[in-house]
Amino acid sequence: MIEDTAVQAKEETAAESLSTRRSSSCSSSSGSGGGGDVELGGEVVGWSSYDDDAEQRLLWETKIVVRICLFEGDNGSIDQVSDVYVSVSRHEYLYQTVFEKVIPLWRHVLPSSASRTPWLEYGMLPLKWDLPCGVLHDLHCGNDDGCSSNSIWTVVAHFSNFPSTILPPFDVKESLRNHVFHSMKEASHVRMGSASRIMNMSHAAQDALWHAIRQGSYDEYAKVYGTLGFESHDGILAAVERVPVRIIVCRGAALTMNSSYEDVYISSRSMNDGSVKDCVYDIARAWMMMKKNKTIAEKNEESGMTGVQIQVGGIGMHGTEPLSYLWRTMHAPDGFLYIYVH
Amino acid sequence: MITYSEFKASIAYLLEQDLEGWFPNGHATWTWCEHGDDILVCMAGYLKIKHTILDSCVQCTEYHVCYSPIYQNPVLYMISYDQHGNPINMLDDPDGILQHAIRDHQVTVSQESHPSTHQPCLYQLHPCNTDDIIASIVSDDHGDTGVARYMLAWMSAVQCGLAPTAAVASRLLSE
């Protein structure tokens, strides 16, 4: 983290680095996970348990550079407050990063009346605290040149007037951790029919897992996650028959200055394995038709969604990628595969 | 587990019954709320029960019985309002229904956004143990009788002031 100095954003975007890595290890043989070639982002790649680990690591190590500015009205000093630049993994939670790394730097300038509960804003919209940073970035930036994956994303931190009609209450010490473990229970229930593996975790294991997520450390995370038994111990991946998915559908490429969360549909689902397009298109299309106030007859006449894009992990999908493969390589630490449709 | 259609049918059956006297005090209104007509998007219909207690500092508690596509079970959201219509912190009252449920029945509670209306400040009772609880009450009967009585069983077991009085439960079970 560097305070108020220019930062070189990652030259290689997530899509480029993932695509480069896959091109160099392209294989036509089937991997230990079963199946054969899969088409990802327009490229044919092989897939195996080894590649799953490598791809997961790559996503964890892909960073988004965020510039955090203090809302002027919450500056209790007469001095100008320096902006803070942080490099955040797609899988980290931005609110947690701000709480741990930014607030300590601003503590001396926040007025005594300021809440210690921050909320973040981009484009006049409060950022949801319960979405991973990468998902927030996709949702709010999209094709916005001001915060594309090759530039710095600027968000504003507020310490007053929490938007309680838009965001659920946020306690910096409890809310995110509880939300992540709650999500993990849901994901476990989808995959294994039971949330017991998460519910029966020791406090030490939970602390270690949460620490790994807070630090954006894939090695730490994999070490604890591997003990939960979602994958068999002989290296053979357990079949992924049902996939925990969070579908995010947005009208338009991304939320803009004039948008509201009425333009976004977020739903957690348990989905049968299949191509990502088959799994999410019907739901996304149904919601978009509903937002357009189409009658059922009009919906049935519509031939489909042209120009609609599917993104996972910030990478555009061709649509034929198997959901199970995407989950194994790109699921978030909370156990869900986030699919962004716009 | 039940499907969304079974959930909706079970609530429809419940709403056809005489629910007078469900709560031991105050009065309640029962409403099925639905947003949109597409089931793919709108596994989002829910039962809203507004329970108003007179002569109390807590004027009104709303129970929203929603469907969880993840757990394929009902999930309860709650919110209470004071006499001025302002939401109150239900966890602040050590003798309140939420703290009672947490303390005596090991219920897990968190504040979440409503899955249908996105109202951000409701208390959700985590549904991960629902199957075990319901299995101890009803058989795995997905016939008409099982589905119809599912919501009655669920509300009796959910431990947050939503259980019917003995008289109402007896009347409904005899029908």
Side-chain angles (χ1 to χ4, degrees), chain A residues 178-191:
Chain A
N178 290 343
H179 170 76
V180 169
F181 280 100
H182 183 196
S183 294
M184 290 185 73
K185 285 195 289 184
E186 290 185 308
S188 173
H189 187 88
V190 170
R191 292 252 0 250

Side-chain angles (χ1 to χ4, degrees), chain B residues 14-30:
Chain B
L14 193 66
L15 293 180
E16 290 170 359
Q17 311 309 310
D18 176 9
L19 304 175
E20 186 67 33
W22 184 284
F23 294 97
N25 54 9
H27 66 272
T29 58
W30 300 64

Side-chain angles (χ1 to χ4, degrees), chain A residues 186-322:
Chain A
E186 290 185 308
S188 173
H189 187 88
V190 170
R191 292 252 0 250
M192 318 302 287
S194 165
S196 59
R197 289 170 201 239
I198 306 302
M199 292 166 67
N200 294 335
M201 284 178 75
S202 66
H203 285 299
Q206 287 189 5
D207 288 346
L209 199 67
W210 180 233
H211 183 264
I213 295 170
R214 281 165 48 213
Q215 301 301 313
S217 167
Y218 176 68
D219 286 323
E220 271 188 70
Y221 173 82
K223 192 175 170 185
V224 181
Y225 188 80
T227 65
L228 295 177
F230 289 115
E231 296 162 32
S232 63
H233 295 292
D234 57 2
I236 305 297
L237 293 169
V240 181
E241 293 175 353
R242 294 201 66 81
V243 183
V245 169
R246 283 213 166 112
I247 301 168
I248 301 169
V249 187
C250 182
R251 298 173 72 184
L255 292 174
T256 64
M257 191 75 75
N258 297 319
S259 299
S260 76
Y261 283 112
E262 293 290 322
D263 297 318
V264 178
Y265 172 75
I266 301 177
S267 180
S268 301
R269 298 292 178 107
S270 167
M271 310 216 75
N272 288 324
D273 192 16
S275 74
V276 64
K277 178 178 174 178
D278 288 344
C279 291
V280 304
Y281 249 30
D282 284 345
I283 296 173
R285 176 172 172 271
W287 179 77
M288 288 187 180
M289 292 296 108
M290 195 175 83
K291 296 302 282 185
K292 290 179 187 175
N293 292 318
K294 297 277 186 177
T295 63
I296 292 178
E298 287 171 324
K299 289 177 203 175
N300 290 335
E301 283 175 14
E302 293 267 347
S303 58
M305 299 195 298
T306 56
V308 169
Q309 297 179 41
I310 301 174
Q311 271 183 281
V312 178
I315 304 170
M317 295 288 117
H318 190 262
T320 57
E321 297 86 350

Side-chain angles (χ1 to χ4, degrees), chain A residues 27-102:
Chain A
S27 167
S28 60
S29 60
S30 55
S32 61
D37 293 346
V38 63
E39 195 175 340
L40 180 69
E43 291 182 53
V44 175
V45 298
W47 48 305
S48 69
S49 59
Y50 170 76
D51 285 337
D52 294 351
D53 180 81
E55 307 310 354
Q56 271 281 1
R57 179 184 300 279
L58 183 60
L59 209 55
W60 274 75
E61 293 174 352
T62 300
K63 305 286 189 180
I64 298 169
V65 180
V66 187
R67 173 181 161 209
I68 313 290
C69 307
L70 176 64
F71 177 63
E72 204 175 316
D74 290 324
N75 179 3
S77 77
I78 58 173
D79 301 321
Q80 190 174 3
V81 174
S82 301
D83 299 338
V84 180
Y85 292 78
V86 288
S87 179
V88 187
S89 163
R90 282 192 61 95
H91 282 331
E92 285 181 73
Y93 289 87
L94 192 56
Y95 275 71
Q96 193 71 29
T97 303
V98 167
F99 172 65
E100 292 187 350
K101 296 181 180 173
V102 179

Side-chain angles (χ1 to χ4, degrees), chain B residues 116-137:
Chain B
S116 299
T117 67
H118 306 295
Q119 183 183 355
C121 292
L122 278 80
Y123 295 89
Q124 183 209 58
L125 275 69
H126 291 200
C128 35
N129 285 327
T130 299
D131 280 340
D132 294 334
I133 294 168
I134 297 299
S136 65
I137 302 175

